[in-house]
Amino acid sequence: MCRSALAFFTASFVCLQNCRPAPAPFLRAAWVFLVVLGLGQSEDNRCTSSNAVSCTKCLALGPECGWCAQEDFISGGSRSERCDIISNLISKGCSIDSIEYPSVHVIPSENEINTQVTPGEVLIQLRPEAEANFMLKIHPLKKYPVDLYYLVDVSASMHNNIEKLNSVGNDLSRKMAYFSRDFRLGFGSYVDKTVSPYISIHPERIHNQCSDYNLDCMPPHGYIHVLSLTENITEFEKAVHRQKISGNIDTPEGGFDAMLQAAVCESHIGWRKEAKRLLLVMTDQTSHLALDSKLAGIVVPNDGNCHLKNNIYVRSTSMEHPSLGQLSEKLIDNNINVIFAVQGKQFHWYKDLLPLLPGTIAGEIESKAANLNNLVVEAYQVLFNVTVTMKKCDVTGGKSYAIIKPIGFNETTKIHIHRNCSCQCDDRRGPKRKCVDDVFLDAKCFQCNENKCHFDEDQLPSESCKSHKDQPVCSGRGVCVCGKCLCHKIKLGKVYGKYCEKDDFSCPYHHGNLCAGHGECEAGRCQCFSGWEGDRCQCPSASAQHCVNPKGQVCSGRGTCVCGRCECTDPRSIGRFCEHCPTCHTACSENWNCVQCLHPHNLSQAILDRCKTSCALMEQHYMDQTSECFSSPSYLRIFFIIFIVTFLIGLLKVLIVRQVILQWNSNKIKSSADYRVSSSKKDKLILQSVCTRAVTYRREKPEEIKMDISKLNAHETFRCNF
């Protein structure tokens, strides 16, 4: 089974030769293909909407754009039509031989032998925004050496998987014989940092962390290198058989700590420079990351160096876990491919780390690691789909190439890239062809040399394409070419105007029609045809006659006429003509000074002159004003109404207060009726309430005073009895 990986390269390289138009058969095939897909009718056509007026700019828009260099090609409308997709240009009458359409070519090297990475060289011709794809194959040679180092999590939960390793050696050797005749195996184990809170430091458990499992475990350790890489499979199986499990407290393990040591301790592990290096990590739990060590008070960053002494990692309790970036750097520097063989639900945790650790893969192992050898074999075969993309032509001169080096291999692939950024019509040695559509450009922009012309966009500043210095160029809806705005073509409608400030789609609609179908949209406002008015051109002009009141006033001077109906601008006005306004100044009060003009007897000449000027219309509407004055409430009438209402309210309050007082007096007389007596016995009602007696006594023996107060009957006199 082959695994594929996707590699994206964004190239920024230099064109070494001028592009040539694509051959006619290729263009015919492309045209048929586009027609079948319906691309010729695409609504979002960036080739035409960008208003490109030169071949170079057209080709830079995208790989689907072509330029018609035909001399007599007819361009209609207010924009250049030479830049379009191939099917549209052909349908407009442009001959296939006159279409500038550089194609993409990928030419790999052939007949390569004794190499693992093929092709060794690739020649690619690209145009802006185009992509080129080719397959990069990793074909291992049988004579190529392979080093495989097993790094195993030996915590108690991995007990069953470690037992399975006893039979891995011979089986894996037989399978790897198909790929390499020089195969070596090594072995190492890890648990976690031997400090709290990662392990139990209780004296009874510090040497046996597996007491909860009823197992005899070896003491915990950060990383132990058990067996260097060897061709002796029997020795490998014996080392695995002697391996005991260990244990810790927390769930994550110290896998990344052990991986970094296995990568950088080249002499201890026995990595060969010419060999393909594979590091297989077996675990069922996640791994600690950088800064996790602070829980144990370890704050010294990992230095990325080898710290094995007697095959034991001696800085496990004094240095932090490595970061992912640091681990990735060491794996790449030492040309090591990592295989994560994970059992259980933590497989997805490692799978998410793959983009951060280049050259690594993750596989899920079955119960008791039955498929472990298959993971190694699958990881040894690699197939890459390489995609090269060129964004734009912004560099000139020089030579361009890229080098791809697969991690874990010493061989490379060299990619030579030619940028097709120019057009054949720029070549003055060829037939006369148009690379610039001069219909839409100012003559000041042209600089011609014999048969070759080009224009300078910097000749005229972009300020001439702004309606105001604070406004965007061409109102943000076009491009400035030689001091003139070429407006974008968009789906909604037409954009036009000197600064692309006008359009035919942003005005208000009425019943689904722009400007009600009775006007044109200019700069966001409806310009109505003759006989129509309103902000949407929805009203006939003659409808204003329906808003005139009998006095000849439009909406009584208190509103505006909209489509034959008055809309009162004064919120106090109501009525068909806004003629009723109860809280407004009435005609009577407004014309009070003119009332005397209706009775000109005994008036001075000055008042008569004022009547003729200011009150000339008073006589015409005398009856209307008089009726309005009589119909409106007078100030005196309002005063009397308010006075009577106030008087009645005050009288009501007085009556209520009087009734409350009478009721209170009645209750008081009734409650005191039982205590009334005749005036002849009035003196008997005055009872003595205080009895006094002077007593002389000594401090040593005070005299006892006895007082007897008996219950009194009615009309009895209070007596003091001592």
Side-chain angles (χ1 to χ4, degrees):
M1 180 185 293
C2 295
R3 292 183 177 270
S4 60
L6 183 61
F8 291 93
F9 295 86
T10 301
S12 184
F13 303 107
V14 181
C15 182
L16 301 179
Q17 62 180 18
N18 291 333
C19 65
R20 294 291 182 268
F26 172 79
L27 286 179
R28 290 190 183 96
W31 174 56
V32 173
F33 180 70
L34 292 174
V35 170
V36 171
L37 292 181
L39 296 179
Q41 303 299 326
S42 174
E43 294 183 359
D44 188 12
N45 187 348
R46 58 178 173 176
C47 305
T48 57
S49 62
S50 61
N51 300 308
V53 293
S54 68
C55 179
T56 302
K57 280 192 168 293
C58 178
L59 299 184
L61 295 175
E64 74 275 16
C65 298
W67 176 266
C68 181
Q70 185 174 316
E71 182 72 19
D72 58 349
F73 181 69
I74 300 176
S75 297
S78 59
R79 62 201 324 106
S80 175
E81 301 289 345
R82 291 184 178 272
C83 183
D84 207 335
I85 59 179
I86 304 302
S87 59
N88 288 351
L89 290 177
I90 295 175
S91 63
K92 292 176 184 177
C94 184
S95 64
I96 294 179
D97 294 334
S98 300
I99 296 178
E100 297 279 352
Y101 187 79
S103 57
V104 176
H105 297 287
V106 178
I107 306 175
S109 58
E110 298 178 356
N111 300 325
E112 296 176 333
I113 58 175
N114 295 328
T115 178
Q116 295 189 106
V117 180
T118 57
E121 288 188 281
V122 181
L123 174 63
I124 297 179
Q125 292 184 355
L126 278 177
R127 56 176 293 180
E129 299 292 338
E131 291 183 353
N133 297 276
F134 67 93
M135 300 304 297
L136 182 66
K137 299 179 182 179
I138 308 296
H139 181 68
L141 302 177
K142 286 191 175 183
K143 65 179 182 179
Y144 199 85
V146 177
D147 290 343
L148 174 62
Y149 188 81
Y150 280 86
L151 185 60
V152 183
D153 172 11
V154 294
S155 58
S157 59
M158 290 286 292
H159 177 68
N160 293 332
N161 293 328
I162 294 175
E163 290 182 350
K164 179 63 179 177
L165 281 178
N166 292 328
S167 60
V168 162
N170 286 322
D171 185 23
L172 183 59
S173 297
R174 287 192 299 269
K175 291 185 177 180
M176 291 299 295
Y178 292 101
F179 304 101
S180 176
R181 299 170 185 170
D182 188 0
F183 178 65
R184 301 199 306 175
L185 289 173
F187 180 72
S189 66
Y190 72 92
V191 183
D192 209 341
K193 293 186 180 296
T194 56
V195 292
S196 179
Y198 307 121
I199 67 169
S200 175
I201 59 175
H202 192 276
E204 296 181 359
R205 295 192 58 186
I206 194 165
H207 295 294
N208 185 7
Q209 299 283 323
C210 306
S211 58
D212 294 341
Y213 295 90
N214 296 321
L215 297 173
D216 183 19
C217 292
M218 66 181 297
H221 53 277
Y223 164 61
I224 295 179
H225 169 52
V226 180
L227 178 67
S228 298
L229 293 167
T230 177
E231 297 177 354
N232 192 336
I233 304 302
T234 303
E235 187 178 355
F236 172 81
E237 291 178 345
K238 289 180 179 180
V240 174
H241 181 72
R242 291 192 301 266
Q243 180 64 46
K244 289 185 177 181
I245 63 171
S246 184
N248 59 340
I249 295 179
D250 64 337
T251 300
E253 317 293 0
F256 290 167
D257 236 356
M259 288 175 61
L260 189 141
Q261 291 300 307
V264 298
C265 296
E266 186 174 357
S267 60
H268 293 77
I269 306 300
W271 296 116
R272 293 176 290 179
K273 292 184 178 180
E274 71 279 6
K276 177 175 176 60
R277 303 176 179 182
L278 299 177
L279 177 62
L280 188 144
V281 182
M282 285 184 60
T283 184
D284 62 349
Q285 296 296 340
T286 60
S287 179
H288 282 293
L289 302 173
L291 304 181
D292 285 357
S293 307
K294 295 186 183 297
L295 294 172
I298 303 174
V299 296
V300 178
N302 197 300
D303 59 7
N305 297 323
C306 179
H307 295 286
L308 289 183
K309 186 175 182 180
N310 297 325
N311 292 332
I312 298 176
Y313 179 35
V314 296
R315 297 295 301 274
S316 173
T317 59
S318 59
M319 285 198 313
E320 287 188 345
H321 296 280
S323 65
L324 286 173
Q326 186 180 27
L327 179 61
S328 175
E329 179 184 0
K330 295 302 179 182
L331 292 174
I332 294 174
D333 290 345
N334 290 277
N335 225 20
I336 294 177
N337 291 106
V338 177
I339 306 170
F340 287 114
V342 188
Q343 184 179 38
K345 59 183 180 181
Q346 302 301 340
F347 165 72
H348 297 285
W349 188 85
Y350 285 94
K351 189 175 181 180
D352 292 339
L353 293 180
L354 298 186
L356 305 176
L357 297 172
T360 63
I361 65 171
E364 189 171 8
I365 57 178
E366 300 171 356
S367 177
K368 296 185 179 182
N371 64 329
L372 185 61
N373 290 339
N374 293 333
L375 294 179
V376 177
V377 174
E378 291 172 5
Y380 193 65
Q381 306 175 72
V382 184
L383 184 65
F384 294 96
N385 179 21
V386 181
T387 301
V388 183
T389 304
M390 184 177 69
K391 289 190 176 289
K392 55 184 178 179
C393 294
D394 55 357
V395 182
T396 57
K399 190 176 182 180
S400 62
Y401 64 90
I403 295 178
I404 301 177
K405 181 180 182 296
I407 297 175
F409 292 88
N410 296 323
E411 300 175 4
T412 62
T413 294
K414 189 173 184 179
I415 306 175
H416 300 274
I417 300 180
H418 295 264
R419 305 184 64 168
N420 288 337
C421 298
S422 60
C423 302
Q424 185 182 17
C425 53
D426 289 330
D427 190 356
R428 58 188 177 184
R429 294 173 299 179
K432 189 175 182 181
R433 300 156 66 90
K434 276 186 174 279
C435 273
V436 177
D437 200 339
D438 53 355
V439 177
F440 304 96
L441 300 179
D442 196 312
K444 298 178 181 179
C445 294
F446 282 105
Q447 296 180 5
C448 294
N449 249 339
E450 298 181 359
N451 294 330
K452 182 178 179 181
C453 292
H454 66 278
F455 63 93
D456 185 5
E457 295 186 22
D458 298 329
Q459 178 105 11
L460 294 175
S462 60
E463 296 297 326
S464 59
C465 294
K466 297 181 180 180
S467 59
H468 190 270
K469 63 179 181 179
D470 296 330
Q471 295 295 322
V473 175
C474 298
S475 304
R477 304 196 292 182
V479 293
C480 184
V481 179
C482 290
K484 291 184 178 181
C485 285
L486 292 180
C487 305
H488 291 319
K489 182 179 180 181
I490 59 179
K491 300 177 184 178
L492 298 176
K494 180 182 178 181
V495 179
Y496 60 99
K498 182 178 179 181
Y499 305 107
C500 301
E501 75 281 8
K502 299 180 180 181
D503 59 62
D504 60 357
F505 54 84
S506 61
C507 289
Y509 284 71
H510 184 72
H511 295 317
N513 295 319
L514 185 71
C515 298
H518 304 136
E520 293 181 344
C521 182
E522 292 186 9
R525 293 187 178 183
C526 288
Q527 302 296 329
C528 302
F529 299 144
S530 177
W532 295 91
E533 60 184 9
D535 61 338
R536 296 174 175 83
C537 300
Q538 75 276 26
C539 307
S541 301
S543 60
Q545 299 177 358
H546 300 288
C547 298
V548 180
N549 65 5
K551 299 179 182 180
Q553 299 173 316
V554 177
C555 298
S556 303
R558 301 187 183 115
T560 57
C561 184
V562 178
C563 292
R565 300 185 63 180
C566 287
E567 291 186 358
C568 302
T569 55
D570 191 336
R572 301 172 297 176
S573 303
I574 57 175
R576 177 184 173 186
F577 302 109
C578 305
E579 70 275 16
H580 299 297
C581 185
T583 58
C584 298
H585 293 291
T586 62
C588 187
S589 60
E590 293 173 354
N591 300 293
W592 187 262
N593 294 329
C594 296
V595 173
Q596 58 185 339
C597 297
L598 301 176
H599 304 281
H601 304 291
N602 301 324
L603 294 179
S604 63
Q605 186 62 36
I607 295 177
L608 291 175
D609 293 340
R610 187 186 64 185
C611 289
K612 293 180 180 180
T613 56
S614 302
C615 305
L617 298 176
M618 189 64 190
E619 296 181 1
Q620 301 177 9
H621 306 292
Y622 170 70
M623 294 302 298
D624 294 337
Q625 294 174 352
T626 303
S627 60
E628 184 178 2
C629 290
F630 281 107
S631 62
S632 61
S634 64
Y635 294 109
L636 184 62
R637 185 183 305 172
I638 294 174
F639 172 77
F640 277 114
I641 292 174
I642 295 176
F643 174 78
I644 292 173
V645 172
T646 305
F647 175 77
L648 292 176
I649 293 175
L651 181 61
L652 180 61
K653 288 183 178 181
V654 171
L655 293 176
I656 293 174
V657 171
R658 180 177 178 278
Q659 185 64 26
V660 171
I661 294 174
L662 292 176
Q663 185 66 28
W664 182 76
N665 289 335
S666 175
N667 293 338
K668 183 177 181 183
I669 294 173
K670 182 177 180 181
S671 62
S672 61
D674 296 337
Y675 299 98
R676 294 180 182 173
V677 296
S678 60
S679 58
S680 59
K681 298 180 180 180
K682 183 177 181 181
D683 55 337
K684 296 182 180 181
L685 295 175
I686 304 176
L687 300 179
Q688 184 177 0
S689 59
V690 179
C691 298
T692 60
R693 178 184 179 186
V695 179
T696 303
Y697 61 91
R698 291 178 301 189
R699 179 172 300 179
E700 307 85 41
K701 186 178 181 182
E703 181 179 358
E704 295 181 358
I705 301 176
K706 296 182 179 181
M707 182 182 297
D708 183 18
I709 302 177
S710 58
K711 183 177 180 181
L712 297 180
N713 296 322
H715 310 298
E716 286 186 355
T717 304
F718 176 78
R719 295 181 181 180
C720 297
N721 296 321
F722 296 98

